[in-house]
Amino acid sequence: AQTVTQSQPEMSVQEAETVTLSCTYDTSESNYYLFWYKQPPSRQMILVIRQEAYKQQNATENRFSVNFQKAAKSFSLKISDSQLGDTAMYFCASLQWGGADGLTFGKGTHLIIQP
Amino acid sequence: SAVISQKPSRDICQRGTSLTIQCQVDSQVTMMFWYRQQPGQSLTLIATANQGSEATYESGFVIDKFPISRPNLTFSTLTVSNMSPEDSSIYLCSVAGARQGASYEQYFGPGTRLTVT
């Protein structure tokens, strides 16, 4: 079984600042997938970024990037030049290799971007 | 990514009744899943909806309480049976294996907010 831990219930930063959200996970598998999802107040779950565990290179998507440390089982999300629209709940999630199973989610981090 | 719709978007139901939630995708997908998000909580997987066969349920969820159908590759339903106030949650379907995107990526519907009084 996989577990995902997000230790920051809430974070607040000023607009245009850079913020890093933490995530650690536990799995007995050597290959798996990791994700960050965003859930704004509209409650729509939006896939922000994904990482295949066999890839050493950290994934990037525009202002979003990850720091994937496989040995430490750490998967943090960095948001650069934060914008007011980034205000949302952010969930870290893991998926077993093959993708036939459901996602295992962390408890989430509420990110608030202050104007 | 696939366009996913859910009906209803929200409902208020009386305890002891049942509600069926529909999930429709605009293209064929390999996998469909149902999740529950209790108030202020994270998402928990209820079951994997299997096309043409019984759903695969996670520990703590049973078919009698959450019957699921998936008659084809674009549609699934989740029924919440004999509801109690503890069933008040957001119910979300997700899909994987759509035409666009990696086969393992899951995309979510807009959710159904259920309140049981």
Side-chain angles (χ1 to χ4, degrees):
Chain A
Q2 299 184 329
T3 60
V4 178
T5 302
Q6 294 178 251
S7 58
Q8 304 155 311
E10 185 170 289
M11 296 186 71
S12 180
V13 298
Q14 296 294 124
E15 191 176 7
E17 289 183 347
T18 294
V19 60
T20 300
L21 308 183
S22 301
C23 173
T24 59
Y25 60 92
D26 192 18
T27 179
S28 58
E29 306 293 323
S30 58
N31 284 317
Y32 45 88
Y33 313 98
L34 297 166
F35 306 88
W36 280 96
Y37 281 88
K38 169 185 177 181
Q39 188 179 41
S42 67
R43 80 172 180 257
Q44 175 71 56
M45 291 289 287
I46 301 166
L47 177 59
V48 174
I49 198 165
R50 86 283 290 157
Q51 174 86 38
E52 292 98 336
Y54 68 87
K55 291 185 177 179
Q56 292 186 334
Q57 186 173 7
N58 289 323
T60 62
E61 289 285 346
N62 301 312
R63 296 184 297 108
F64 299 88
S65 62
V66 298
N67 183 4
F68 174 48
Q69 301 289 329
K70 190 172 184 179
K73 296 183 177 177
S74 171
F75 184 61
S76 61
L77 174 70
K78 185 172 82 171
I79 305 174
S80 303
D81 186 26
S82 58
Q83 301 174 358
L84 296 179
D86 295 333
T87 294
M89 284 293 293
Y90 286 81
F91 293 98
C92 179
S94 67
L95 178 67
Q96 291 189 16
W97 188 253
D101 301 308
L103 294 159
T104 299
F105 285 91
K107 292 186 180 298
T109 296
H110 184 206
L111 176 64
I112 300 169
I113 309 299
Q114 304 276 10
Chain B
S1 61
V3 176
I4 309 163
S5 60
Q6 284 186 234
K7 290 181 181 179
S9 60
R10 60 177 61 223
D11 207 341
I12 301 173
C13 301
Q14 291 191 341
R15 67 178 67 202
T17 63
S18 298
L19 176 71
T20 295
I21 302 168
Q22 298 179 1
C23 180
Q24 178 75 56
V25 194
D26 70 340
S27 61
Q28 292 185 347
V29 294
T30 307
M31 309 292 294
M32 296 184 78
F33 305 90
W34 287 98
Y35 292 82
R36 180 176 73 182
Q37 186 175 25
Q38 295 177 299
Q41 302 296 314
S42 185
L43 283 75
T44 301
L45 180 67
I46 297 172
T48 302
N50 300 310
Q51 195 261 330
S53 64
E54 194 171 284
T56 305
Y57 290 85
E58 295 299 300
S59 176
F61 297 96
V62 295
I63 187 171
D64 290 346
K65 175 67 176 178
F66 298 101
I68 287 170
S69 77
R70 189 182 172 191
N72 56 52
L73 295 177
T74 63
F75 184 78
S76 178
T77 66
L78 167 74
T79 299
V80 186
S81 303
N82 188 24
M83 287 183 285
S84 67
E86 291 71 34
D87 295 320
S88 297
S89 296
I90 298 171
Y91 292 87
L92 302 103
C93 72
S94 76
V95 305
R99 281 198 309 273
Q100 295 171 322
S103 62
Y104 60 87
E105 291 177 352
Q106 289 191 26
Y107 295 93
F108 284 81
T112 295
R113 182 182 293 274
L114 171 62
T115 302
V116 184
T117 60

